[in-house]
Amino acid sequence: MSSSLFASGTGLPAPACGTKPLAVCEAACAEGDAPSCSRAADLVMRERARGPQRVAVAATMHDRACTLGFTPGCRELGRLLERGVSGTLKSDIDKAFDLQDRTCGAGDAAACAELGRMALSAPARAAVQWNGLELLERACEGGDGPGCRRLAHAVAFGQGTPVDAARARKLLQRGVTVSAAACDTGDLRACVQLGRALLEGEGTRPDGVRAAALLGRACEEGNPDGCHWLGVYHGRVATPDRALATALHRQACEEGSALGCQGLGDALVRGSGTRRDVAQGEALCHRACDASAEACDTVSARIDEGLASTAEPSTARRLHERACAAGSTRGCGRLALDTLRASSGPRAEAHAFQQLGAACHAGLVGACAQLGEAHAEGTGVPRDARRAASLWQIDCEAGVPHACQALGEATLEGRGVSADPARAQALLRKACDAGLPSSCTVLGYHRSMSAGASQSGSEATTWLERACREGDPLACTLAAATPEQRPALRKKFQRARECAWLVEGINRGVERIEASATASAEEASDAKGLRQLASAMEDSEREIGTLRLTDPTLLQHAAAYRTMARTIANVSRQVASGVEEGDPQRSLGGFAAVIEVLAGEGTLVDDINELCSPTP
């Protein structure tokens, strides 16, 4: 197979060493043949025995090719410098930007796609120097498949451009077509993109066997993202190989793939295919998130689900924003759901719903599941259980475990679809086998509660113990209980988790109130501070609105807190206006209103603490 560097451009000189061994290419490179330097770098990346150190060697060779004027060498060096490899190659984002900028300017479509992606993920710098969407347009028109996919994502979610589902679908399909053509010439990055599309069914029919072959080839020839997605494949097949999947994530991580580190971190957290180590796994996921915004999904998902060591919804939202900017469908979908749950106003809610609908209709895997969630909850859209089930079906067939679990639970209860215990169990088993331990918990719980529990008790315990080993704390609690105790424990556990979300959110709101109220009392003329207080309260109100609460009493308390926060915000602005206009009566009246609202805040917090206090 030809080197991946010679597929994107036209009229590029072939390496003097041709397809000869590494030593020959190294010699040609030393004599000043730039294409041979990059060819040697490709060959070095295939040498697994060198371990992570080979990345630094390859970077040196690409650097020489770039210095000698070979633009693909500059592009590849930029990719390596962007991600870096711990202990072997230091990340240099500024240099990565400059290299991709130079290479894109020389007509390299793949470099334009990389620069566009980086620009959209780093808006502070992009706003000054680059237009990410224009770069992605240029890349896609120039025949770069990943650029087409990233542009499709932006179009579907309205990132700097109108939402357009039809155009997004066409871009996804074009991305698959041009990736297939580039992959045939040996472009490993295109092969990874094509393999990912075939694995997830984006812009094409799913084909796991073909996806595995493409990803395996890319992994073997030195593309660490190929190893990561091959690991995803082995974790999703009908008979998953957890150990192999985790080994591939580990290999990808060691070779500089942030997504690989995210996959390895998630496996360590869940004990999937490896010894469980929650602390190390969470640390690895956070480092991956720092290196690549697209890898932030796992961190934010654990926070959303109340499983992270520090579950802060406001932090999760920031991670959703980062992941969305990097091109993550799941990140954008979660961000849209945040907007719907926070009751951000009719215009914002309509736009969020439009984004989810466009992404779903465009074929971006994961968006339909989140749109289904919105319909199931009635958040920002009409509650429609039947519509929710049909949307979950779409993404379940595309291999999204959360969609299969949601559809399985709906099928158990007959919500929007005919009750069918056998089909429900098959759906939950599919999600469980795909690496979602909460699905194993639901399956085990259902088996223990079903008729003939004495016959299914052993099977139920097996599922619960499996979920416990893979990181679901509820499963551990249920596995140790009798079938008679489990319904109450399940309800108690859910309330405890929701209590933690609400208490943490309100505590942050209380801190904002106390700090701002003290500052305002000390200097009543500080209109700016009062407006800052109003903004802080509005932020708190929105944050509480994003919490996924189901307990009726907690929902009432959350609604009361949001009303209080809105009142404080409105009154603070009233006082600020009175100060600015020199109206002391208006200012004093506003302060009296704030004191009255704060008096009720203490009672509200006491009620929540009483409800959420552990009972012996």
Side-chain angles (χ1 to χ4, degrees), residues 160-285:
T161 185
V163 173
D164 188 335
R167 185 183 175 215
R169 178 179 289 276
K170 289 179 180 178
L171 286 166
L172 282 176
Q173 293 169 343
R174 174 170 169 75
V176 171
T177 300
V178 298
S179 288
C183 181
D184 286 343
T185 69
D187 186 335
L188 298 183
R189 178 169 163 274
C191 292
V192 172
Q193 174 59 35
L194 178 59
R196 177 179 178 177
L198 289 165
L199 180 63
E200 299 196 319
E202 283 192 349
T204 185
R205 293 178 63 85
D207 187 339
V209 174
R210 187 181 171 204
L214 289 165
L215 295 169
R217 187 174 76 186
C219 176
E220 181 62 28
E221 297 193 8
N223 187 299
D225 286 337
C227 301
H228 162 71
W229 287 106
L230 184 61
V232 172
Y233 165 80
H234 284 291
R236 287 185 185 174
V237 291
T239 306
D241 189 333
R242 303 270 188 247
L244 176 57
T246 300
L248 286 163
H249 292 315
R250 187 183 302 277
Q251 177 180 319
C253 181
E254 290 175 349
E255 294 171 7
S257 169
L259 291 174
C261 293
Q262 168 256 303
L264 175 60
D266 188 42
L268 286 167
V269 166
R270 295 187 292 108
S272 177
T274 184
R275 177 180 57 83
R276 191 176 182 209
D277 188 331
V278 175
Q280 182 184 355
E282 286 196 342
L284 196 57
C285 286

Side-chain angles (χ1 to χ4, degrees), residues 527-588:
K528 180 179 179 181
L530 289 167
R531 295 193 184 282
Q532 289 175 341
L533 167 62
S535 296
M537 288 299 91
E538 288 167 346
D539 288 343
S540 295
E541 189 272 337
R542 281 193 292 268
E543 179 181 328
I544 297 301
T546 66
L547 299 179
R548 304 176 64 183
L549 305 179
T550 59
D551 184 273
T553 307
L554 285 174
L555 282 168
Q556 290 177 3
H557 289 328
Y561 177 84
R562 295 179 69 190
T563 298
M564 180 191 70
R566 282 195 297 269
T567 301
I568 292 175
N570 293 335
V571 171
S572 296
R573 295 190 191 282
Q574 172 190 333
V575 174
S577 297
V579 170
E580 291 169 339
E581 296 169 8
D583 185 345
Q585 286 297 114
R586 188 176 180 185
S587 298
L588 289 173

Side-chain angles (χ1 to χ4, degrees), residues 14-92:
C17 64
T19 58
K20 293 180 180 179
L22 174 60
V24 178
C25 289
E26 286 178 321
C29 175
E31 294 175 2
D33 183 66
S36 291
C37 295
S38 285
R39 171 66 177 170
D42 267 5
L43 294 173
V44 166
M45 287 295 289
R46 300 182 194 183
E47 293 192 340
R48 300 290 182 206
R50 294 198 189 197
Q53 295 293 335
R54 63 198 173 93
V55 179
V57 176
T60 299
M61 292 177 172
H62 284 311
D63 192 11
R64 177 163 173 76
C66 181
T67 301
L68 291 170
F70 189 58
T71 53
C74 302
R75 181 186 75 216
E76 295 303 308
L77 178 60
R79 287 177 185 160
L80 294 178
L81 289 174
E82 181 192 5
R83 64 187 187 224
V85 176
S86 178
T88 64
L89 180 66
K90 185 177 180 180
S91 174
D92 189 337

Side-chain angles (χ1 to χ4, degrees), residues 92-446:
D92 189 337
I93 299 297
D94 287 339
K95 188 173 181 180
F97 263 108
D98 293 338
L99 285 165
Q100 300 297 10
D101 188 19
R102 185 196 321 170
T103 311
C104 174
D108 189 299
C112 294
E114 295 290 340
L115 184 60
R117 173 188 57 78
M118 293 167 66
L120 290 175
S121 301
R125 180 168 183 176
V128 177
Q129 294 183 261
W130 296 287
N131 184 313
L133 290 177
E134 288 183 0
L135 288 163
L136 293 174
E137 288 269 14
R138 191 191 312 177
C140 185
E141 290 174 1
D144 183 77
C148 293
R149 189 222 175 248
R150 182 64 188 84
L151 182 59
H153 185 277
V155 170
F157 285 101
Q159 295 176 324
T161 185
V163 173
D164 188 335
R167 185 183 175 215
R169 178 179 289 276
K170 289 179 180 178
L171 286 166
L172 282 176
Q173 293 169 343
R174 174 170 169 75
V176 171
T177 300
V178 298
S179 288
C183 181
D184 286 343
T185 69
D187 186 335
L188 298 183
R189 178 169 163 274
C191 292
V192 172
Q193 174 59 35
L194 178 59
R196 177 179 178 177
L198 289 165
L199 180 63
E200 299 196 319
E202 283 192 349
T204 185
R205 293 178 63 85
D207 187 339
V209 174
R210 187 181 171 204
L214 289 165
L215 295 169
R217 187 174 76 186
C219 176
E220 181 62 28
E221 297 193 8
N223 187 299
D225 286 337
C227 301
H228 162 71
W229 287 106
L230 184 61
V232 172
Y233 165 80
H234 284 291
R236 287 185 185 174
V237 291
T239 306
D241 189 333
R242 303 270 188 247
L244 176 57
T246 300
L248 286 163
H249 292 315
R250 187 183 302 277
Q251 177 180 319
C253 181
E254 290 175 349
E255 294 171 7
S257 169
L259 291 174
C261 293
Q262 168 256 303
L264 175 60
D266 188 42
L268 286 167
V269 166
R270 295 187 292 108
S272 177
T274 184
R275 177 180 57 83
R276 191 176 182 209
D277 188 331
V278 175
Q280 182 184 355
E282 286 196 342
L284 196 57
C285 286
H286 279 281
R287 287 201 298 272
C289 178
D290 290 339
S292 169
E294 190 177 359
C296 294
D297 279 342
T298 297
V299 178
S300 63
R302 285 185 61 75
I303 294 173
D304 282 344
E305 294 161 13
L307 299 176
S309 55
T310 304
E312 298 184 4
S314 59
T315 299
R317 183 181 177 92
R318 288 194 294 272
L319 293 174
H320 298 161
E321 290 170 347
R322 286 195 62 207
C324 181
S328 164
T329 299
R330 188 176 180 186
C332 285
R334 287 182 179 274
L335 186 60
L337 286 178
D338 287 344
T339 301
L340 292 173
R341 292 188 182 113
S343 298
S344 303
R347 182 175 297 179
E349 291 176 2
H351 183 61
F353 182 64
Q354 182 188 30
Q355 288 177 316
L356 281 177
C360 174
H361 292 131
L364 284 163
V365 173
C368 293
Q370 289 160 323
L371 184 59
E373 190 174 333
H375 277 295
E377 296 178 357
T379 51
V381 296
R383 189 184 297 273
D384 187 336
R386 182 173 296 180
R387 175 67 173 152
S390 66
L391 289 164
W392 287 329
Q393 178 70 39
I394 292 170
D395 268 350
C396 180
E397 291 176 354
V400 179
H402 290 84
C404 293
Q405 177 175 337
L407 182 59
E409 293 188 72
T411 305
L412 273 178
E413 301 167 12
R415 288 184 285 107
V417 64
S418 299
D420 185 339
R423 179 174 180 243
Q425 289 181 42
L427 288 164
L428 291 168
R429 188 176 291 110
K430 179 178 179 180
C432 176
D433 287 341
L436 192 62
S438 58
S439 297
C440 311
T441 304
V442 175
L443 184 58
Y445 177 81
H446 170 69

